[in-house]
Amino acid sequence: MELDETDKKLLLFLQDDCKQTTKELSGKLGLSVTAIYERVKKLENAGVISKYVALLDKSKVKKNFIVLCHVKLSQHKKEFVLQFEKEVMDLQEVTECFHVSGDYDYILKIGVKDIEDYRNFMLTKLTTLQHIASTHSSFMISEVKNTTAIIL
């Protein structure tokens, strides 16, 4: 799907606050409410907008101890990779998982309450997954930038 400048502006506004009404968006973009509604529907139907979510304040839900955990698998067999990916999907503490190149195979972003909570997660969940050869954890000191917006 080819996005025009109006679509790009609309998407920026929606990424900033998706609870804006079509009336508010129409005022910002100089289009009718109907035109805004139709553009949003077109973007949703094309899969450009995949879902709407609420972003939580990690400190208020006591999940602000953020860990980046590098995981190395014991072997790179297809079944090991697929099994690890399936199992990691069930770990609620893992908010993001990336299959990467380099010294490690995966990077997991993990949100827990504190270091004790992370230790418990490692002992009872992550290290029970099969085919993990090693892990390396880094702990967030401060959050410099965190955005979900994609600038077009």
Side-chain angles (χ1 to χ4, degrees):
M1 173 179 185
E2 203 58 38
L3 301 175
D4 65 18
E5 287 307 309
T6 303
D7 288 331
K8 291 176 183 179
K9 288 177 186 174
L10 175 59
L11 289 168
L12 286 174
F13 289 134
L14 289 173
Q15 287 182 97
D16 183 53
D17 179 7
C18 70
K19 290 187 79 172
Q20 294 177 81
T21 65
T22 51
K23 183 177 181 181
E24 291 170 319
L25 292 166
S26 72
K28 291 178 180 180
L29 292 168
L31 297 173
S32 70
V33 171
T34 303
I36 295 295
Y37 176 82
E38 288 173 354
R39 280 182 182 262
V40 170
K41 282 297 167 203
K42 177 184 77 170
L43 293 164
E44 290 172 346
N45 291 335
V48 175
I49 298 173
S50 59
K51 67 161 113 176
Y52 298 93
V53 299
L55 300 176
L56 306 182
D57 182 324
K58 291 184 277 302
S59 63
K60 292 188 178 174
V61 295
K62 295 186 178 15
K63 297 290 183 181
N64 58 328
F65 189 78
I66 304 301
V67 182
L68 295 178
C69 181
H70 296 71
V71 176
K72 187 180 292 190
L73 298 183
S74 58
Q75 294 181 41
H76 296 106
K77 290 182 178 180
K78 182 179 179 179
E79 61 265 24
F80 289 9
V81 167
L82 295 176
Q83 181 178 1
F84 175 80
E85 290 177 359
K86 180 180 178 293
E87 291 175 344
V88 83
M89 295 296 286
D90 294 329
L91 300 176
Q92 66 184 28
E93 296 86 352
V94 176
T95 58
E96 296 179 61
C97 175
F98 302 98
H99 193 181
V100 296
S101 63
D103 293 335
Y104 289 89
D105 300 309
Y106 292 91
I107 299 175
L108 309 179
K109 182 177 177 184
I110 301 163
V112 290
K113 180 181 174 189
D114 53 26
I115 190 75
E116 285 181 40
D117 203 18
Y118 182 63
R119 181 177 191 275
N120 184 54
F121 167 78
M122 287 293 289
L123 293 175
T124 64
K125 294 183 180 179
L126 188 62
T127 57
T128 65
L129 301 184
Q130 295 180 25
H131 315 301
I132 293 180
S134 64
T135 63
H136 174 86
S137 300
S138 299
F139 307 103
M140 180 182 75
I141 296 170
S142 69
E143 189 170 83
V144 177
K145 180 178 181 179
N146 181 351
T147 182
T148 59
I150 298 171
I151 306 302
L152 307 170

